[in-house]
Amino acid sequence: MGEVVGGREREVGFRVAAADDWAAIWPIWRAIVDAGRTYTWPPGTDVDTARSLWMLPTPAEVWVAVRGDRVAGSAVLKPNQPGLGSHVAHAAFMVDPALAGRGIGRALADHILQRARTLGYRAMQFNAVVADNPAVALWRSLGFAEVGRIPEGFRRTDGTFVDVLVLHRRL
């Protein structure tokens, strides 16, 4: 902890999320999903449905990033596909919007990529990254390449459409 990332001081630790961490993850999840800019889940998703979408059972792992005693973000690591596709990981990330730009997302991504390697995944794939999501720059800086593009694959709440990217990197 206490590393410097991108010129910014950050102190962040990681741990597997416990069931009672949902109370701290939920406001982050709600703010990001309700913004309607990066995830396809419908804005206004109720707390129980949201919990079932994020707090997934094994083989998924749900992680939290913690600064001090505060949950600053969360990630889900899981197989991208079951069975014969389970050697490729998939992950989803959320950082508290109030803490954006402080290196937490990059630190969480680094942690999850290392965890995926440790678990024996051979690659990581993101299936539906909204093309104008600021995180695209982060993913590219971490070695992800665009391997597909779905024209107008995401509909914003204002009715406009944005391309969706499929990003991949070997581990």
Side-chain angles (χ1 to χ4, degrees), residues 9-158:
E9 179 74 18
R10 66 152 170 89
E11 292 184 21
V12 62
F14 308 99
R15 62 177 169 74
V16 173
D20 62 354
D21 284 320
W22 177 247
I25 296 168
W26 165 240
I28 297 168
W29 197 99
R30 183 178 57 207
I32 291 169
V33 172
D34 284 356
R37 300 199 52 82
T38 56
Y39 282 93
T40 59
W41 297 313
T45 298
D46 67 84
V47 64
D48 293 329
T49 300
R51 182 184 179 108
S52 73
L53 293 167
W54 195 259
M55 302 295 283
L56 299 174
T58 304
E61 293 183 354
V62 181
W63 288 81
V64 290
V66 180
R67 286 184 78 212
D69 60 356
R70 177 179 179 185
V71 171
S74 183
V76 177
L77 173 64
K78 65 179 189 166
N80 189 51
Q81 299 292 331
L84 300 178
S86 63
H87 60 287
V88 176
H90 174 76
F93 299 84
M94 293 188 180
V95 172
D96 184 337
L99 298 173
R102 298 184 187 182
I104 296 166
R106 177 175 292 276
L108 186 55
D110 286 339
H111 176 77
I112 294 298
L113 286 166
Q114 182 56 49
R115 181 66 183 152
R117 280 187 213 86
T118 299
L119 291 172
Y121 288 107
R122 297 175 49 101
M124 184 170 289
Q125 179 175 319
F126 301 140
N127 302 317
V129 180
V130 178
D132 64 357
N133 182 339
V136 171
L138 170 63
W139 303 132
R140 288 189 171 135
S141 76
L142 291 172
F144 283 84
E146 180 180 329
V147 296
R149 180 177 285 259
I150 301 150
E152 299 186 345
F154 185 82
R155 185 183 67 243
R156 296 224 186 275
T157 56
D158 67 4

